[in-house]
Amino acid sequence: MDRRNFIQKATLAGSLTSILPSLNATPQKKNLDKVRLGFIGVGLRGRSHIEQALFSQDVEINAICDIDPSSINITLDQIKKAGKKAPVVYNKGDEDFLNLVKRDDLDGILIATPWQWHVPMALAAMKAGKYAAVEVSATVTLQESWDLVDTFEKTGSNCMILENVCYRRDVMAILKMVREGMFGEMTYAHCGYQHDLRGIKFNDGKGNGVGVEFGEKGYSEAKWRTQHSVDRNGDIYPTHGLGPVAHWMDINRGNCFTSLTSTSTKSRGLHKYIVDHGGKDHPNAKVNFKLGDIVTTVIQCYNGENIVIIHDTNSPRPYSLGFRAQGTEGIWMNDGNTIYIEGVSPKAHTAEPAGPILEKNDHPLWKKHAKSAENAGHGGIDYFVFRGFVESIKRKTAPPIDVYDAAVWSAISPLSEMSIARGSSPVEIPDFTRGKWKTNKRIFGLNEDY
Ligand SMILES: NC(=O)c1ccc[n+]([C@@H]2O[C@H](COP(=O)([O-])OP(=O)(O)OC[C@H]3O[C@@H](n4cnc5c(N)ncnc54)[C@H](O)[C@@H]3O)[C@@H](O)[C@H]2O)c1
């Protein structure tokens, strides 16, 4: 394929994709005009979802729940400033969310709490007949992944994992190109969460970036996230990288993960940060962190592809999710944003800037909504993930990222811990679809609607 044909193929395929009918929509059912939401957990992330809700004319915020009075107060202020009516507040302790889910003026419940609360809250919401949306990672243990799937199958209530990175403009353009065969047959992908979180795992209890406290004395994620680095060694945050790659590889829809191995480096970064910023006599300098600085996981897929995921949150480094998409005919590399397509790229063995090709292959969803997304968090992706949840509730249909995705993407964490504990032995990845992956059809990125 020469360069011109390649670009023509891309453009033609792009226009065909954009006129495909909305496959998820079921026209015989009347769509809801308004979606009534409850929010559990209105810390930093919950409030960014509240922001999206306040921008949306078709969303009502009817109830919020949090155990922290300051989270509640900041959120009430945020809602008041937007000129919207005050929601009912649930703030009477860890289990008050059980009262929120019972309300009959809620269609959906968005959960943005510490990881260990995601599943108990999602199960309660689903059992109460509500659409659940749960932040990443969805689950902490394998049993929790099964509980999500079993509860969905028993109740019919949907659960969407709010993996916003699936909507990144570049990874969606790559998704379109992968589906159109521009990389040939996919063989390999590389991804990860490479984000220096040291100034978030430790702070002074008031804001991020200063201090070396965590736990009760910490602020926001330092209150709860850091303890996972004390107790666990594995890829404890896999879904930002894995979500987009799972779509490229058709996981749960014609393909599945079969096994993984994980290997970790020694743990140095967190201890060094405490000593450098709090002194060697600070009580936290005695804490033993289990989490290796860099954890590398290799997943084997049923159709023969390999996926490498890197978890790196304890080291000084620039932010990168490190995506790479490799097929039999070419490669895209996120770091440096370069691409090489054999027979198409102008110079053999030489990558070219990917920007112009990604632009030509802009996904129809981005083409249509770029303007609306422009001010939303994380470069616009927070707009899309929130709309995905709201639009599926309005259409009374399954979300574009479903409970089986939530279950298997999140299960990589406990499985990687298991592999490391067994000296990097291979560990089987359960099939949460119970065989349905063989016939399931794609659900993500099918149209320009949501
Ligand atoms: N997708 C993304 O880009 C992204 C970004 C940041 C965080 N996250 C995820 O969002 C979630 C929340 O993270 P965050 O940064 O907002 O943390 P945070 O600590 O700022 O907020 C968590 C909130 O949950 C509340 N909470 C704790 N236990 C509760 C309970 N039993 N009932 C009600 N409320 C409770 C806390 O008081 C707090 O206000 C995490 O799962 C995190 O991984 C995702």
Side-chain angles (χ1 to χ4, degrees), residues 40-46 65-68 71 94 112-115 117-118 121 135-136 162 164 220-221 224 237 240 378:
I40 310 179
V42 286
L44 288 183
R45 186 64 183 152
C65 171
D66 203 292
I67 52 169
D68 178 354
S71 289
D94 271 345
T113 48
W115 301 333
W117 282 106
H118 288 178
M121 290 167 173
E135 258 304 339
V136 300
L162 295 170
N164 46 351
S220 185
E221 297 198 357
W224 55 270
Y237 203 57
H240 282 328
H378 295 106

Coordinates of all heavy atoms in Angstrom, one line a residue, residues 40-46 65-68 71 94 112-115 117-118 121 135-136 162 164 220-221 224 237 240 378, ligand 1:
I40 N -20.9 8.9 45.4 CA -20.3 8.5 46.6 C -18.8 8.7 46.5 O -18.2 8.2 45.6 CB -20.6 7.0 46.9 CG1 -22.1 6.6 46.7 CG2 -20.1 6.6 48.3 CD1 -22.4 5.1 46.9
G41 N -18.3 9.5 47.5 CA -16.9 10.0 47.4 C -16.8 11.2 46.6 O -16.9 11.2 45.3
V42 N -16.7 12.4 47.3 CA -16.5 13.6 46.6 C -15.2 14.3 47.0 O -15.2 15.5 47.4 CB -17.8 14.5 46.7 CG1 -18.9 14.0 45.9 CG2 -18.2 14.7 48.2
G43 N -14.2 13.5 46.9 CA -12.8 14.0 47.1 C -12.4 14.7 45.8 O -13.2 15.1 45.0
L44 N -11.1 14.7 45.6 CA -10.5 15.3 44.4 C -11.2 14.8 43.1 O -11.6 15.6 42.2 CB -9.0 15.2 44.3 CG -8.2 16.0 45.3 CD1 -6.7 15.9 45.1 CD2 -8.6 17.5 45.3
R45 N -11.2 13.5 42.9 CA -11.7 12.9 41.7 C -13.3 13.0 41.6 O -13.8 13.3 40.6 CB -11.3 11.4 41.6 CG -11.7 10.7 40.3 CD -10.9 11.4 39.2 NE -11.3 10.8 37.9 CZ -11.3 11.5 36.8 NH1 -10.9 12.8 36.8 NH2 -11.6 10.9 35.6
G46 N -13.9 12.8 42.7 CA -15.4 12.9 42.7 C -15.8 14.2 42.3 O -16.8 14.4 41.5
C65 N -22.5 11.7 49.0 CA -22.1 11.0 50.2 C -20.6 11.1 50.4 O -19.8 10.8 49.5 CB -22.5 9.5 50.1 SG -21.9 8.5 51.4
D66 N -20.1 11.4 51.6 CA -18.7 11.4 51.9 C -18.6 11.4 53.4 O -19.5 11.9 54.1 CB -18.0 12.6 51.3 CG -16.5 12.3 51.1 OD1 -15.8 12.2 52.1 OD2 -16.0 12.2 50.0
I67 N -17.5 10.8 53.9 CA -17.3 10.8 55.4 C -16.5 12.0 55.8 O -16.4 12.2 57.0 CB -16.5 9.5 55.8 CG1 -15.2 9.3 55.0 CG2 -17.4 8.3 55.7 CD1 -14.3 8.2 55.5
D68 N -15.9 12.8 54.9 CA -15.1 13.9 55.2 C -15.9 15.2 55.1 O -16.3 15.5 54.0 CB -13.9 13.9 54.3 CG -12.9 15.0 54.6 OD1 -13.3 15.9 55.4 OD2 -11.8 15.1 53.9
S71 N -14.8 17.6 52.3 CA -15.1 17.1 50.9 C -16.6 17.5 50.6 O -16.9 18.0 49.6 CB -15.0 15.6 50.8 OG -13.6 15.3 50.7
D94 N -19.0 5.5 57.5 CA -18.5 4.6 56.4 C -19.7 3.9 55.7 O -19.5 3.5 54.5 CB -17.6 3.6 57.0 CG -16.1 4.1 57.0 OD1 -15.9 5.1 56.3 OD2 -15.3 3.5 57.7
A112 N -16.4 7.3 43.6 CA -15.0 7.8 43.5 C -14.4 7.8 44.9 O -14.0 8.9 45.4 CB -14.9 9.1 42.8
T113 N -14.3 6.6 45.5 CA -13.8 6.5 46.9 C -12.4 5.7 46.8 O -12.0 5.3 45.7 CB -14.8 5.7 47.7 OG1 -15.1 4.5 46.9 CG2 -16.0 6.5 48.0
P114 N -11.8 5.5 48.0 CA -10.6 4.7 48.0 C -10.9 3.3 47.4 O -12.0 2.8 47.6 CB -10.2 4.6 49.5 CG -10.8 5.9 50.0 CD -12.0 6.2 49.3
W115 N -9.9 2.6 46.9 CA -10.1 1.4 46.1 C -10.9 0.3 46.9 O -11.7 -0.4 46.3 CB -8.7 0.8 45.7 CG -7.9 1.7 44.9 CD1 -8.4 2.7 44.0 CD2 -6.5 1.7 44.8 NE1 -7.3 3.3 43.4 CE2 -6.1 2.7 43.9 CE3 -5.4 1.0 45.4 CZ2 -4.8 3.0 43.5 CZ3 -4.1 1.3 45.0 CH2 -3.8 2.3 44.1
W117 N -13.2 0.5 48.8 CA -14.7 0.7 48.9 C -15.4 0.5 47.6 O -16.6 0.5 47.6 CB -14.9 2.1 49.5 CG -14.7 2.2 51.0 CD1 -13.6 2.8 51.6 CD2 -15.5 1.7 52.0 NE1 -13.8 2.7 52.9 CE2 -15.0 2.1 53.2 CE3 -16.8 1.0 52.0 CZ2 -15.5 1.7 54.4 CZ3 -17.3 0.7 53.2 CH2 -16.7 1.0 54.4
H118 N -14.7 0.5 46.5 CA -15.4 0.5 45.2 C -16.4 -0.7 45.1 O -17.5 -0.4 44.7 CB -14.3 0.3 44.1 CG -13.5 1.5 43.8 ND1 -12.5 1.5 42.9 CD2 -13.5 2.7 44.4 CE1 -11.9 2.7 42.9 NE2 -12.5 3.5 43.8
M121 N -19.5 -0.7 47.4 CA -20.4 0.4 47.0 C -21.1 0.0 45.7 O -22.3 0.3 45.5 CB -19.7 1.7 46.9 CG -19.3 2.2 48.3 SD -18.1 3.6 48.3 CE -18.1 4.0 50.1
E135 N -14.7 4.2 39.8 CA -13.4 4.7 39.4 C -12.4 3.5 39.3 O -12.7 2.4 39.7 CB -12.9 5.8 40.4 CG -13.1 7.2 39.9 CD -12.4 7.5 38.6 OE1 -11.5 6.7 38.2 OE2 -12.8 8.4 37.9
V136 N -11.2 3.9 38.8 CA -10.2 2.9 38.6 C -9.3 2.8 39.8 O -9.0 3.9 40.5 CB -9.4 3.2 37.3 CG1 -10.3 3.2 36.1 CG2 -8.7 4.6 37.4
L162 N -14.8 3.6 35.1 CA -14.6 4.9 34.5 C -13.1 5.1 34.0 O -12.4 6.0 34.5 CB -15.0 6.0 35.6 CG -16.4 6.0 35.9 CD1 -16.7 6.9 37.1 CD2 -17.3 6.4 34.8
N164 N -11.0 6.6 32.0 CA -11.0 7.8 31.1 C -9.9 7.7 30.0 O -10.1 8.2 28.9 CB -10.8 9.1 31.9 CG -9.7 9.0 33.0 OD1 -9.2 8.0 33.2 ND2 -9.4 10.2 33.5
S220 N -6.0 13.7 51.1 CA -6.5 13.0 49.9 C -5.9 11.6 49.8 O -6.0 10.8 50.7 CB -6.2 13.9 48.7 OG -6.7 13.4 47.5
E221 N -5.3 11.3 48.6 CA -4.8 9.9 48.4 C -3.8 9.4 49.4 O -3.6 8.2 49.6 CB -4.3 9.8 46.9 CG -5.5 10.0 46.0 CD -5.2 9.5 44.6 OE1 -4.2 9.0 44.3 OE2 -6.1 9.7 43.7
W224 N -5.0 7.1 52.1 CA -5.3 5.6 51.9 C -4.5 4.9 50.8 O -4.2 3.8 50.9 CB -6.8 5.5 51.5 CG -7.2 6.4 50.3 CD1 -7.6 7.6 50.3 CD2 -7.1 6.0 48.9 NE1 -7.8 8.1 49.0 CE2 -7.5 7.1 48.1 CE3 -6.8 4.8 48.2 CZ2 -7.6 7.0 46.7 CZ3 -6.8 4.7 46.8 CH2 -7.2 5.9 46.1
Y237 N -2.0 -0.6 39.9 CA -2.8 0.4 39.2 C -2.7 0.2 37.6 O -2.1 1.0 36.9 CB -2.4 1.8 39.6 CG -3.4 3.0 39.4 CD1 -4.6 2.9 40.0 CD2 -3.0 4.1 38.6 CE1 -5.5 4.0 39.9 CE2 -3.9 5.2 38.5 CZ -5.1 5.1 39.1 OH -6.0 6.2 39.0
H240 N -5.1 2.3 33.5 CA -4.9 3.4 32.6 C -4.2 2.9 31.3 O -4.5 3.4 30.2 CB -4.1 4.5 33.3 CG -4.9 5.4 34.2 ND1 -6.2 5.6 34.1 CD2 -4.5 6.0 35.4 CE1 -6.6 6.4 35.1 NE2 -5.6 6.6 35.9
H378 N -7.9 16.2 32.3 CA -7.0 15.3 31.6 C -7.1 15.4 30.1 O -7.2 14.4 29.4 CB -7.3 13.8 32.1 CG -7.1 13.6 33.5 ND1 -8.1 13.4 34.5 CD2 -5.9 13.4 34.2 CE1 -7.5 13.2 35.7 NE2 -6.2 13.2 35.5
Ligands
LIG1 N1 -9.4 8.2 36.4 C1 -8.6 9.1 36.8 O1 -8.0 9.8 36.1 C2 -8.4 9.2 38.3 C3 -7.7 10.3 38.9 C4 -7.6 10.4 40.2 C5 -8.2 9.4 41.0 N2 -8.9 8.4 40.5 C6 -9.5 7.4 41.3 O2 -10.6 8.0 42.0 C7 -10.8 7.4 43.3 C8 -10.8 8.5 44.3 O3 -9.5 9.2 44.3 P1 -9.4 10.7 44.8 O4 -8.1 11.2 44.2 O5 -10.6 11.4 44.7 O6 -9.1 10.4 46.4 P2 -9.5 11.3 47.6 O7 -8.9 10.7 48.8 O8 -9.2 12.8 47.2 O9 -11.1 11.2 47.7 C9 -11.8 10.0 48.2 C10 -13.0 10.5 48.9 O10 -13.7 9.3 49.4 C11 -14.2 9.6 50.7 N3 -14.5 8.3 51.4 C12 -13.7 7.4 51.9 N4 -14.4 6.4 52.5 C13 -15.7 6.7 52.3 C14 -16.9 6.0 52.6 N5 -16.9 4.9 53.3 N6 -18.1 6.6 52.3 C15 -18.1 7.8 51.6 N7 -17.0 8.5 51.2 C16 -15.8 7.9 51.6 C17 -13.1 10.4 51.3 O11 -13.5 11.1 52.5 C18 -12.6 11.3 50.2 O12 -13.3 12.5 50.2 C19 -9.7 6.4 43.4 O13 -10.2 5.1 43.1 C20 -8.6 6.8 42.4 O14 -7.8 5.8 42.0 C21 -9.0 8.3 39.1

